[in-house]
Amino acid sequence: MTTSTVRQWSDNTRGYAMNAPALIAILLLVAYPIGYSFWVSLHRDNLAQPAARKLIGLDNYLSLVDDPAFLASLRVSALFVLVVLVVTVVLGLVLALVLNETFMGRGVLRSLVLLPWAMPGVVNGLMWRTVFDAKTGALNGVLTELGWIDSYQAWLASESGAFFFTAFAQVWNTLPFTVIILLAGLSTIPRELYDAATVDRAGVVQRFRQVTVPWLLHPLLIVLILETMNAFRAFDTIYVLTGGGPGDATTTVALLTVQRVLTYTDVGLGSAYAWVITLITLVISVAYVGLLYRRGSFEV
Amino acid sequence: MTTIPLRYRVPWKKIAVYALAVVFALYLVLPFYWIVAMSFMPEVDANSVPPQWIPQHPTLENYTAFVDPTGAQAMVGSRAVRETPFALGNSLLVALLTAVLNLVLGVFAAYSFSRIRFRGSQVLLMVYLLTRMVPGIAIIIPYYLLMRELDLLDTYWALILSYTTFALPVTIWVLKDFFRAVPRELEDAAKVDRCGWFRMMWSVVLPVSAPGLVAAAVFAFMTAWNEFMFALFLTSTAASKTMPVIAANFATDINTQFTVMAASGVLAVLPPLVLVLIFQRLIVQGMAAGSVKG
């Protein structure tokens, strides 16, 4: 390709030519699989019984309505998203507000915030397993030495215990993202607004409500949407920490789908699960893109 | 009674900020400290009640186990132990190649958004962003079937191809902003010198936007290094298993020695942690700009 030929091309052609490599990769490796996945979901298809493969239309989807395992996993996922979201946003907001102040050691704390972000989900799960362990865990050690518990507890043995401790582990992993987005939002608030509010004799709470919250609304929305999506597809940490148990207390939709495919090799039904997840995610994504679009982040 | 100056006020806010800062610092560090400490303890010490907060008999045996397992380690959970060194190599190679492939594919697309006005460019940017939103679980099954058909299961390529598409949207979004910041005059000067497009990119645009290239490469590297679900489906032996798969192998084996598992966890977190510490500012910028994690 020489300069002169490039110059002769219209901008449209050049634009698409330059996007061609990336677009081909995405079409082949994302778009095509999603379409193929829908096709598979219309079949009774178990890898263990290739002979029994059969086109059954929407039967896999229709069966979801009274599939107790699937419905239970949806409930677990919804509750998991709710708990993780609330705790992450509250903790993240407090931490971002702290980091927005000037104090000794702020730089250190800012670096520490990135630690959980660097942690692969699997290692996060593995780490919390050693912390929550019933016989040797650090949590038991700390609480015993503080005198808050008399004897070591099996934190992950009960259904509610496993659920909340798994959510707790997930929060630790996703907190940095929330903090950084909120902190970036906080840093855009002009100082004068606080000064003006102070002159007007507004108290701490009033200043927070009248200045901080309105300015933070947009970053908060972004955090809410992206963290919802994150929590909804959470897999690594749960897989390692509880494997979905005890019973199905921590079996989210993502976990159930993987079990369906890896354990039961039922790719037909698994694909139907996956498509439900895709549709839910799609709704959230459209909301997200719409939000960015309105804010004008999309200018080219 | 001590005299308090009339206008003295207890600095509640300052106290609250410092107290919260300490609490958060402990919250962020302690769990990580625990597996690091554990990875340097002999098994007996790690199992002691109450726990040893500081290793009393620090040892490297949990790390040397990966190359030279002792009798018990070779028997219990031996497979994961033996596969760890291979997994480290696999992870490094896959992550590096993913980063390189991302830059190669991303540079063209990103440049088009920063300098060329073409119809549908906004829609295209949105398409990339939506690609980023697609949950891995939605494509893993057909992707697995596809790789099975192409005979690519348990190879690097199955992993690299999928990770490249995960990271590509972010690469494009990050790079386009950096390219846009390159002064137009520099490019014009290159054109006056009759440089071709590739020459101009190579000798002007890319060097000027080096921080962007680094940021994009770091994100792509971390995406590939940390990914677990695809690796779980696509790999089965030491030929391509990555560190997260090995770490999960340790965790799901009831016979696992916690200390060796902790050591494998520390090894798996080390490369991304080092990258984050070195490129802290770039990463924070990138995250804030492109809302990267997902």
Side-chain angles (χ1 to χ4, degrees):
Chain A
M1 198 196 308
T2 65
T3 325
S4 55
T5 55
V6 169
R7 205 169 286 142
Q8 278 157 20
W9 288 2
S10 76
D11 279 355
N12 279 343
T13 321
R14 274 176 70 204
Y16 282 100
M18 292 183 126
N19 278 284
L23 272 177
I24 290 171
I26 283 172
L27 278 177
L28 275 181
L29 299 169
V30 180
Y32 168 68
I34 290 185
Y36 187 35
S37 167
F38 187 65
W39 178 240
V40 174
S41 78
L42 299 179
H43 289 77
R44 177 167 63 216
D45 189 355
N46 193 314
L47 293 183
Q49 300 149 316
R53 192 167 189 274
K54 194 183 160 208
L55 185 68
I56 54 168
L58 293 173
D59 281 8
N60 278 329
Y61 292 94
L62 295 176
S63 75
L64 296 185
V65 183
D66 51 15
D67 178 343
F70 182 72
L71 295 178
S73 76
L74 270 187
R75 254 196 313 278
V76 171
S77 277
L79 202 60
F80 189 76
V81 168
L82 188 74
V83 172
V84 170
L85 199 63
V86 170
V87 180
T88 306
V89 169
V90 171
L91 281 185
L93 187 59
V94 175
L95 182 47
L97 285 169
V98 168
L99 281 173
N100 201 38
E101 299 292 326
T102 36
F103 61 92
M104 244 168 53
R106 180 168 77 155
V108 178
L109 192 55
R110 274 192 185 209
S111 306
L112 286 182
V113 167
L114 288 174
L115 170 64
W117 190 74
M119 183 90 52
V122 172
V123 183
N124 184 48
L126 180 156
M127 176 182 87
W128 288 105
R129 244 181 77 152
T130 65
V131 172
F132 295 147
D133 190 74
K135 293 199 204 89
T136 60
L139 182 65
N140 275 316
V142 171
L143 293 182
T144 309
E145 289 196 6
L146 289 172
W148 290 4
I149 53 172
D150 296 328
S151 60
Y152 273 30
Q153 308 284 317
W155 303 107
L156 298 173
S158 75
E159 297 208 341
S160 56
F163 181 85
F164 283 105
F165 282 107
T166 306
F168 185 86
Q170 179 72 19
V171 167
W172 192 82
N173 208 196
T174 55
L175 193 64
F177 178 72
T178 298
V179 173
I180 283 162
I181 301 294
L182 292 183
L183 192 58
L186 282 174
S187 64
T188 59
I189 305 178
R191 261 248 75 85
E192 302 84 59
L193 286 183
Y194 285 109
D195 297 342
T198 313
V199 172
D200 290 345
R201 296 179 166 274
V204 178
V205 179
Q206 272 185 314
R207 265 179 288 168
F208 182 73
R209 274 185 44 202
Q210 289 169 2
V211 182
T212 314
V213 172
W215 274 79
L216 221 49
L217 218 51
H218 194 85
L220 259 176
L221 274 175
I222 291 183
V223 162
L224 283 176
I225 291 174
L226 289 182
E227 290 289 14
T228 301
M229 221 136 62
N230 251 339
F232 187 62
R233 58 172 72 159
F235 175 76
D236 307 6
T237 299
I238 308 177
Y239 180 89
V240 174
L241 191 55
T242 64
D248 57 6
T250 51
T251 304
T252 57
V253 198
L255 227 72
L256 186 72
T257 309
V258 172
Q259 279 173 5
R260 253 308 146 240
V261 178
L262 278 187
T263 316
Y264 303 108
T265 60
D266 189 346
V267 290
L269 192 56
S271 295
Y273 287 177
W275 255 87
V276 174
I277 300 180
T278 310
L279 287 180
I280 297 176
T281 315
L282 191 70
V283 173
I284 308 173
S285 322
V286 168
Y288 177 63
V289 172
L291 197 74
L292 284 182
Y293 202 74
R294 276 230 320 253
R295 175 203 184 198
S297 307
F298 254 73
E299 284 154 22
V300 175
Chain B
M1 207 176 102
T2 46
T3 50
I4 295 171
L6 208 57
R7 315 245 351 227
Y8 179 81
R9 282 205 185 149
V10 183
W12 289 116
K13 192 177 162 191
K14 233 184 181 128
I15 294 172
V17 165
Y18 275 99
L20 283 170
V22 170
V23 170
F24 273 114
L26 291 176
Y27 167 72
L28 292 166
V29 168
L30 282 186
F32 183 60
Y33 169 78
W34 177 242
I35 61 161
V36 174
M38 228 175 160
S39 75
F40 289 109
M41 288 183 204
E43 202 189 1
V44 192
D45 288 15
N47 289 340
S48 68
V49 176
Q52 293 183 5
W53 300 117
I54 296 158
Q56 301 296 315
H57 314 92
T59 169
L60 285 174
E61 68 182 37
N62 301 312
Y63 290 93
T64 53
F66 298 126
V67 278
D68 178 25
T70 64
Q73 287 161 340
M75 262 155 50
V76 181
S78 61
R79 190 151 176 229
V81 173
R82 256 187 296 113
E83 286 177 343
T84 300
F86 297 100
L88 266 178
N90 293 343
S91 273
L92 265 179
L93 205 72
V94 166
L96 283 174
L97 283 172
T98 301
V100 171
L101 199 57
N102 248 279
L103 291 187
V104 172
L105 290 176
V107 159
F108 295 99
Y111 185 83
S112 77
F113 292 114
S114 66
R115 283 291 187 262
I116 304 172
R117 297 210 149 261
F118 61 101
R119 192 176 307 191
S121 58
Q122 289 209 13
V123 178
L124 205 53
L125 261 182
M126 219 183 306
V127 168
Y128 288 134
L129 194 68
L130 274 175
T131 311
R132 175 76 188 162
M133 305 284 154
V134 172
I137 192 110
I139 43 177
I140 182 64
I141 297 167
Y143 194 82
Y144 170 82
L145 298 174
L146 189 70
M147 289 299 136
R148 204 173 63 146
E149 218 125 286
L150 295 175
D151 224 3
L152 286 177
L153 287 182
D154 206 22
T155 66
Y156 295 142
W157 287 110
L159 296 175
I160 294 170
L161 287 175
S162 60
Y163 297 162
T164 298
T165 41
F166 292 168
L168 199 51
V170 179
T171 303
I172 294 172
W173 273 73
V174 169
L175 284 183
K176 86 172 165 35
D177 288 337
F178 277 91
F179 286 166
R180 208 170 284 174
V182 175
R184 242 171 217 284
E185 299 80 56
L186 282 180
E187 285 184 39
D188 292 341
K191 276 179 197 149
V192 170
D193 290 345
R194 302 188 145 268
C195 280
W197 186 81
F198 284 98
R199 258 302 291 285
M200 178 198 75
M201 286 302 278
W202 187 253
S203 50
V204 179
V205 178
L206 294 184
V208 174
S209 38
L213 295 176
V214 172
V218 168
F219 282 132
F221 182 96
M222 285 184 61
T223 303
W225 183 276
N226 292 0
E227 204 285 333
F228 172 57
M229 198 203 288
F230 274 64
L232 181 66
F233 275 80
L234 299 171
T235 70
S236 50
T237 69
S240 71
K241 270 190 190 177
T242 53
M243 275 314 276
V245 179
I246 292 291
N249 284 167
F250 275 113
T252 48
D253 179 353
I254 13 169
N255 295 321
T256 285
Q257 230 180 302
F258 264 27
T259 47
V260 180
M261 176 174 95
S264 82
V266 172
L267 287 180
V269 78
L270 221 51
L273 192 62
V274 169
L275 283 177
V276 162
L277 287 180
I278 298 176
F279 298 111
Q280 223 186 102
R281 271 193 44 208
L282 272 176
I283 287 173
V284 170
Q285 267 174 21
M287 271 165 96
S291 305
V292 157
K293 176 125 184 189

